[in-house]
Amino acid sequence: GAVVSQHPSWVICKSGTSVKIECRSLDFQATTMFWYRQFPKQSLMLMATSNEGSKATYEQGVEKDKFLINHASLTLSTLTVTSAHPEDSSFYICSARAPVGYNEQFFGPGTRLTVL
Amino acid sequence: AQSVTQLDSQVPVFEEAPVELRCNYSSSVSVYLFWYVQYPNQGLQLLLKYLSGSTLVKGINGFEAEFNKSQTSFHLRKPSVHISDTAEYFCAAALSGGYNKLIFGAGTRLAVHP
């Protein structure tokens, strides 16, 4: 199956700083990637849909200026949490639209963000 | 609006016993349904999916699920669980293919005891 990686797997930062998380499709091209947020013991909430070469589509209630998404190539999407605060601490998971024929998404391993 | 409900937040079970994790969806149109498993601090792994055709779907690790349109359910079953099946399980639905926007249920924590 297709592989999606995320980097870093975990990050700790100080309040007020910005953090960038990378999502890569390793062996296929992904025109669409998705970013999810998961709080402890809760489900995944879709934050935004990232399309290569165009602006991301954000879900209702997600701050566009807070969570910057850039899908610069067919294999890379980045999520930047700007001016992070402790309430941004969460598990961030990306997924990539699978190649034709799979009819599913492939998920990355997630990134644990802790803001002190 | 489309929604997915997982009826049990936690399911404790003894090793080698059968288990059923329940999932109901609400949608007035056809949906595609998925079950994912998540181990601690990891991403999601697809167990199985229903797109069309046979209502009984077999997945990996001995899991299967049955799509019931009249009851709008997609329950996950395994006849004999192992300790290694301890994980969080998520049911998800999509309106237009599994490669598009997924709506997740709240998750069910399966705890297998020796």
Side-chain angles (χ1 to χ4, degrees), chain A residues 38 43 59 97 102-103 105, chain B residues 38 41 43 49 98 100-101 105:
Chain A
Q38 185 181 30
S43 188
E59 295 297 302
R97 179 181 287 189
Y102 279 91
N103 207 347
Q105 297 174 26
Chain B
Q38 184 182 35
N41 294 311
K49 59 187 176 185
N100 283 324
K101 181 176 176 178

Side-chain angles (χ1 to χ4, degrees), chain A residues 32 34 36 38 41-46 49 59 91 93 97-98 101-105 107-110 112, chain B residues 6 32 34 36 38 41-46 49 51 88 90 96-102 104-107:
Chain A
T32 301
F34 303 90
Y36 296 85
Q38 185 181 30
K41 300 187 185 302
Q42 294 188 28
S43 188
L44 281 75
M45 298 298 295
L46 180 65
T49 301
E59 295 297 302
F91 195 53
I93 302 176
R97 179 181 287 189
Y102 279 91
N103 207 347
E104 63 181 273
Q105 297 174 26
F107 285 81
R112 173 75 59 193
Chain B
Q6 290 183 243
Y32 298 78
F34 305 81
Y36 289 89
Q38 184 182 35
N41 294 311
Q42 294 187 27
L44 274 67
Q45 181 182 10
L46 181 68
K49 59 187 176 185
L51 305 179
E88 191 80 22
F90 292 98
S96 56
Y99 43 78
N100 283 324
K101 181 176 176 178
L102 289 172
F104 284 89

Side-chain angles (χ1 to χ4, degrees), chain A residues 46-65:
Chain A
L46 180 65
M47 299 175 65
T49 301
S50 168
N51 293 297
E52 188 268 336
S54 64
K55 292 183 178 180
T57 302
Y58 290 81
E59 295 297 302
Q60 190 174 7
V62 177
E63 299 177 60
K64 300 179 182 180
D65 296 331

